[in-house]
Amino acid sequence: MRLAAFFSVTVAVAASNTTQDPFEQWRGPEAGHVRGPCPFLNTFANHGFLPRSGKYITQKDLADGLFNAVHFDANISRFLFDFATRTNPEPNATWFSLDHLSRHKVLEHDASLSRVDAYVGHADVFNQQAFDETRSYWGDVVNVESGTASIIARMKTCKATNPTYSLSNLGEGFILGETAAFISILGDAQSITVDKRRVEYLFQNERLPTKLGWKRSSTPFSTDLLLGNLEKVRLEYEKQLKSTLQRKRSGG
């Protein structure tokens, strides 16, 4: 009896620990909850790293959430929070909600990797067709070259289908940063490579790909690391744009 009781308690404790693990505590948005155009922030809300409602996110909420979910340092969180609060229509806001991020041409931009342009439809909702185009440029492993190729492809498509297409320097910077970030977070930040399946899983499910072997990095993502990877994406982007322009001029 004592042995049976011991095993019962052990199993119960193990089950409780699993239940409390936020990486396994995924729930999609419920009635009254909001989500926005950023797959990662939506994902963090679905796991409870950010308020599950997606509303009234403070600087502390964002800093704690990004640290606990993906080990971002506080400088990155402060940078992102400063931009995010600009989307809140209230003056001098000290919080934001995920749906605020959908305000067009503040942070939300044309040529998303997984959303249609605001002119075409709902820019805050995942669009399979847009994402299928993006991932068609990836091999089994996404790297700087293939990630950049998908960015340029989405820009070309959106220019051709959206008569109001525009992209500010800030929007362009965020597109490049988003690619550097998803590769670094879900894959190897040093080689800047990631298993395509992990990226597909997160974008399509807005859920961290723990089932595919992903784990939170044991070392923090510093500002220097992410900015360094962003610079590598930017250089590849300029290289591919220049090559595209040269082909056009030569009639290729």
Side-chain angles (χ1 to χ4, degrees):
M1 289 293 291
R2 290 180 178 177
L3 186 61
F6 170 77
F7 279 118
S8 295
V9 171
T10 301
V11 170
V13 170
S16 175
N17 288 339
T18 300
T19 301
Q20 296 304 316
D21 181 359
F23 292 99
E24 303 303 327
Q25 281 290 294
W26 184 92
R27 292 202 310 271
E30 301 172 0
H33 291 182
V34 299
R35 294 295 184 263
C38 177
F40 272 91
L41 294 183
N42 292 345
T43 295
F44 299 153
N46 289 341
H47 280 276
F49 289 109
L50 294 177
R52 288 188 182 275
S53 68
K55 298 178 179 179
Y56 309 111
I57 299 169
T58 65
Q59 184 170 346
K60 185 177 187 306
D61 290 333
L62 189 65
D64 290 348
L66 296 188
F67 176 82
N68 291 328
V70 291
H71 214 160
F72 269 16
D73 73 18
N75 290 328
I76 299 174
S77 298
R78 279 193 293 270
F79 171 81
L80 294 175
F81 183 78
D82 287 344
F83 276 104
T85 52
R86 298 181 189 181
T87 66
N88 187 333
E90 291 192 8
N92 304 314
T94 57
W95 56 272
F96 70 98
S97 295
L98 294 181
D99 57 341
H100 290 157
L101 303 177
S102 300
R103 293 181 62 200
H104 189 49
K105 293 186 179 180
V106 182
L107 292 184
E108 188 279 320
H109 52 75
D110 289 335
S112 166
L113 298 181
S114 61
R115 272 74 173 157
V116 297
D117 289 352
Y119 174 85
V120 177
H122 295 287
D124 58 330
V125 178
F126 175 81
N127 182 275
Q128 190 67 56
Q129 184 176 354
F131 187 61
D132 283 347
E133 178 183 26
T134 295
R135 64 181 181 164
S136 71
Y137 288 83
W138 301 340
D140 292 338
V141 173
V142 187
N143 55 24
V144 170
E145 291 77 14
S146 61
T148 301
S150 66
I151 292 173
I152 293 175
R154 286 293 297 144
M155 289 179 173
K156 181 179 179 181
T157 295
C158 293
K159 285 180 181 177
T161 58
N162 177 4
T164 67
Y165 176 87
S166 66
L167 191 64
S168 66
N169 289 336
L170 178 62
E172 183 180 66
F174 265 91
I175 290 176
L176 302 180
E178 289 156 6
T179 295
F182 79 67
I183 295 176
S184 300
I185 293 168
L186 298 179
D188 185 337
Q190 300 303 321
S191 64
I192 321 181
T193 58
V194 61
D195 185 332
K196 176 181 71 171
R197 295 174 301 167
R198 292 183 181 181
V199 186
E200 291 174 332
Y201 186 89
L202 185 139
F203 271 75
Q204 294 180 131
N205 299 290
E206 297 196 333
R207 182 172 187 165
L208 290 166
T210 54
K211 292 182 178 180
L212 298 178
W214 177 85
K215 293 182 179 179
R216 175 182 181 270
S217 174
S218 59
T219 56
F221 285 101
S222 67
T223 306
D224 288 344
L225 174 62
L226 287 180
L227 287 180
N229 287 355
L230 166 59
E231 178 63 10
K232 291 173 183 177
V233 172
R234 186 187 67 79
L235 290 173
E236 180 62 24
Y237 172 71
E238 292 179 351
K239 174 184 173 183
Q240 291 192 26
L241 282 182
K242 183 178 180 181
S243 177
T244 298
L245 183 60
Q246 288 175 340
R247 287 197 301 271
K248 285 183 177 179
R249 287 174 175 172
S250 63

